[in-house]
Amino acid sequence: LWHLFKDERRKVIAAILEGNLRTIEADFRRIYETNRPIMEAMKRIEIPLPEPLLGPAEFVLNADFRRILKAPKTDFAGLAALVDEYRTWSIEADEAGLGFLVRARVEALMTRWAEDPRDGSALKSVDFLLTTLKPLELEIDLWKSQNILVSRGRGIFAENEARAGGGDPAAKAWLDLFKAAGRSLRVSPVVFEPR
């Protein structure tokens, strides 16, 4: 191990740790699930939860959050339930690690939307993802996604606004999705008004 380059050492250590971390996660999950009824009772009668119970709960919730965000398709129902779990136990999400994953997911969705801006499904996913996560108050760097929305959206926004003004229901539905995604991405609608 000591004769390997630094990057190679890291790969070897990561491979060794992978199995250990899976075992630790399984142990923490068992602790969390086994003690959940007593945790709920303590919460109901307003007794603070001890750290040996909160630690495994935090580990499990963060692991589940990572798993959902790394999956090819976001499980929005699972994510909403997970947000409720964080709030139930007053646990703060791992902001640095999870914020990075959220940013990457939002950027991937916005890049997909930029390839076909008439398709509003990616915009809907961005809005739902960020709205669902809002109670966690994660600091997420949305700069790149905001730029994609503004640069790609300017022309098509004006086009859809004109069509919606003429009574086109598809254009109105697209505008609603676009504006909702814009709010979630914290982009002012003023940006899209004619100059």
Side-chain angles (χ1 to χ4, degrees):
L1 185 64
W2 308 118
H3 298 292
L4 297 173
F5 288 111
K6 193 175 188 178
D7 288 342
E8 293 301 315
R9 273 190 247 155
R10 285 184 178 164
K11 287 178 187 175
V12 170
I13 294 296
I16 293 168
L17 274 177
E18 188 177 337
N20 291 351
L21 291 176
R22 273 198 303 269
T23 302
I24 291 168
E25 182 181 337
D27 289 344
F28 277 5
R29 191 169 298 280
R30 182 184 47 72
I31 291 167
Y32 176 52
E33 290 171 1
T34 302
N35 290 287
R36 187 181 172 98
I38 191 70
M39 291 169 68
E40 288 171 350
M42 291 174 74
K43 186 82 173 168
R44 257 193 310 272
I45 57 176
E46 299 178 6
I47 296 175
L49 297 175
E51 186 59 37
L53 293 179
L54 277 176
E58 180 178 359
F59 186 92
V60 168
L61 296 181
N62 286 331
D64 288 349
F65 197 148
R66 275 187 210 85
R67 201 168 288 110
I68 288 172
L69 289 177
K70 287 181 178 180
K73 190 172 180 187
T74 306
D75 172 8
F76 289 116
L79 193 60
L82 198 54
V83 169
D84 287 342
E85 289 287 299
Y86 278 105
R87 295 177 77 202
T88 296
W89 309 119
S90 303
I91 292 174
E92 290 186 22
D94 168 22
E95 188 161 355
L98 299 177
F100 172 80
L101 290 173
V102 173
R103 185 193 81 202
R105 178 54 61 101
V106 171
E107 286 175 5
L109 287 166
M110 289 306 296
T111 300
R112 189 181 93 201
W113 171 77
E115 291 169 3
D116 183 11
R118 286 174 179 23
D119 178 12
S121 63
L123 292 175
K124 186 175 184 178
S125 293
V126 165
D127 177 45
F128 195 80
L129 177 64
L130 293 174
T131 301
T132 302
L133 297 177
K134 193 170 186 166
L136 298 182
E137 299 179 3
L138 294 172
E139 284 295 320
I140 305 163
D141 178 8
L142 297 171
W143 179 83
K144 186 175 180 183
S145 295
Q146 292 165 335
N147 282 337
I148 292 171
L149 185 78
V150 171
S151 64
R152 195 70 174 102
R154 270 205 170 109
I156 197 161
F157 178 84
E159 175 191 320
N160 276 291
E161 198 168 46
R163 287 178 38 221
D168 183 341
K172 184 182 178 333
W174 185 92
L175 277 174
D176 290 343
L177 290 174
F178 186 84
K179 289 175 181 177
R183 280 190 299 274
S184 292
L185 288 167
R186 300 188 305 267
V187 174
S188 171
V190 173
V191 172
F192 302 103
E193 291 177 2
R195 293 178 182 157

